[in-house]
Amino acid sequence: MKNLILLLLILISTSVFSQKSDYKVSSYLTPGTKAPNTHYIGEAWLNSIIHDDQELGYAITKATFKANSTLDWHKHGSAQVLIIVDGEAYYQERGTQPVILKKGDIIKCEKDTEHWHSSTKTSDVTYLALYGEEQPTTWTEVVTQEYYDSVAEKLTNH
């Protein structure tokens, strides 16, 4: 009986002193929704963390690509920053050699720079993308499975 009374007192005091919040709290850990198979090969999940915030002037999206998945070549009307939070990615800007990005890596792609990024052949990747929302993404060229495979081969044997 003493334990029951103690438990009730704890529950009552917890509810009396619990926070009531008017804050909007979200989490980048939420998987998001499966992206439609447009402008990429494979499987991707998107979580729009910050979107249409006029005061901030930029968006943050979490993307998770399953292994062997890639975006097509594209460019943005603003600079884009990718923060790799888990896994490994391939990244390439037009006219440069592709690289592997790993958990903890951060890369900035300048405004109107054509590029593509993806998971690696054997690893999923999750990244946070920070970018301006003034202009939509411009998709420029398909990254074919053959091209992706050649990049994977090159970076694996490098």
Side-chain angles (χ1 to χ4, degrees), residues 45-59:
W45 295 82
L46 300 174
N47 176 0
S48 181
I49 297 168
I50 295 176
H51 184 65
D52 290 333
D53 188 312
Q54 301 296 346
E55 186 179 357
L56 285 175
Y58 62 88

Side-chain angles (χ1 to χ4, degrees), residues 90-104:
Y90 300 140
Y91 176 87
Q92 183 179 21
E93 293 178 2
R94 185 69 78 181
T96 65
Q97 294 299 311
V99 295
I100 295 178
L101 302 175
K102 297 181 180 197
K103 181 178 179 175

Side-chain angles (χ1 to χ4, degrees), residues 67-121:
N68 200 33
S69 299
T70 181
L71 283 173
D72 289 336
W73 286 95
H74 61 282
K75 58 186 176 178
H76 304 280
S78 69
Q80 179 186 49
V81 174
L82 301 177
I83 303 169
I84 309 301
V85 296
D86 197 26
E88 294 184 347
Y90 300 140
Y91 176 87
Q92 183 179 21
E93 293 178 2
R94 185 69 78 181
T96 65
Q97 294 299 311
V99 295
I100 295 178
L101 302 175
K102 297 181 180 197
K103 181 178 179 175
D105 288 345
I106 300 171
I107 194 162
K108 180 181 177 186
C109 181
E110 296 296 334
K111 175 182 178 177
D112 292 324
T113 298
E114 194 176 13
H115 66 286
W116 67 277
H117 39 95
S118 68
S119 60
T120 65
K121 226 28 187 164

Side-chain angles (χ1 to χ4, degrees), residues 12-33:
I12 290 170
S13 65
T14 303
S15 66
V16 168
F17 294 108
S18 66
Q19 288 187 5
K20 290 187 177 182
S21 176
D22 293 329
Y23 299 112
K24 182 177 188 237
V25 178
S26 60
S27 173
Y28 82 91
L29 297 175
T30 304
T33 57

